[in-house]
Amino acid sequence: MLEKTLSIIKPDAVKAGYSGKIIAILEENGFEIKAMKKIKLTKKQAEGFYIVHKDRPFYDSLTTFMSSGSIIVMVLEKENAIADYRELMGATDPSNAKPGTIRALYAKNIEENAVHGSDSKESTDFEIPYFFSALEIL
Ligand code: ATP
Ligand code: MG
């Protein structure tokens, strides 16, 4: 099924200059970029985005990191986009990520791990409208 998913290039990867390489990997793997913008979140906006993790011990540190610099937010489209993009990202902790995945190539550690991807249809239904209006998605 043709699906959309939300991708974020996180502050560590934007700062390190990996954005172009990550976008190239997405396109080489058949993902079409339907919308894209570079923004900097406030701490409150990062907290809102990661509200599902509000009770986790890493919530404060994660949302401080996610608001520490510019991010690039994209809506990607492809057959089976949600699961296929999770596979292409690799495991949360880059030391467990399969060789060739984006996190194996570009993540620094379990927190500063280069990219985000929606993990389910329910997540895309929250995450895509968090950043984009219907008019902004091609
Ligand atoms: P994402 O939601 O960013 O795509 P994920 O689904 O692989 O990543 P989650 O469990 O949803 O991982 O965690 C969200 C984010 O919180 C991780 O990507 C990472 O930046 C951070 N994180 C997760 N676990 C830890 C941890 N144990 N310590 C520090 N940060 C963590
Ligand atoms: Mg997640």
Side-chain angles (χ1 to χ4, degrees), residues 4 9 12 17 21 29 36 43 50 58 65 70 76 87-88 96-97 107 111-112 117 120 125 135:
K4 291 183 175 64
I9 305 178
D12 59 313
K21 290 186 170 84
N29 283 273
M36 173 160 67
K43 172 85 165 153
Y50 276 118
F58 56 81
F65 160 59
S70 298
L76 305 177
E87 181 74 25
L88 187 60
N96 299 327
E111 178 172 272
E112 300 196 18
S120 63
D125 288 347
L135 282 173

Side-chain angles (χ1 to χ4, degrees), residues 6 8 10 12 49-50 52-53 56-59 61-63 65-66 85-86 89-93 103 109-119 127:
L6 186 89
I8 302 178
K10 295 185 178 182
D12 59 313
F49 179 70
Y50 276 118
V52 291
H53 293 316
R56 301 282 196 93
F58 56 81
Y59 182 62
S61 171
L62 170 63
T63 54
F65 160 59
M66 286 301 290
Y85 177 49
R86 296 284 297 182
M89 284 199 303
T92 311
D93 182 345
R103 282 169 167 165
N109 54 53
I110 192 171
E111 178 172 272
E112 300 196 18
N113 59 1
V115 283
H116 163 82
S118 309
D119 61 10
E127 293 180 358

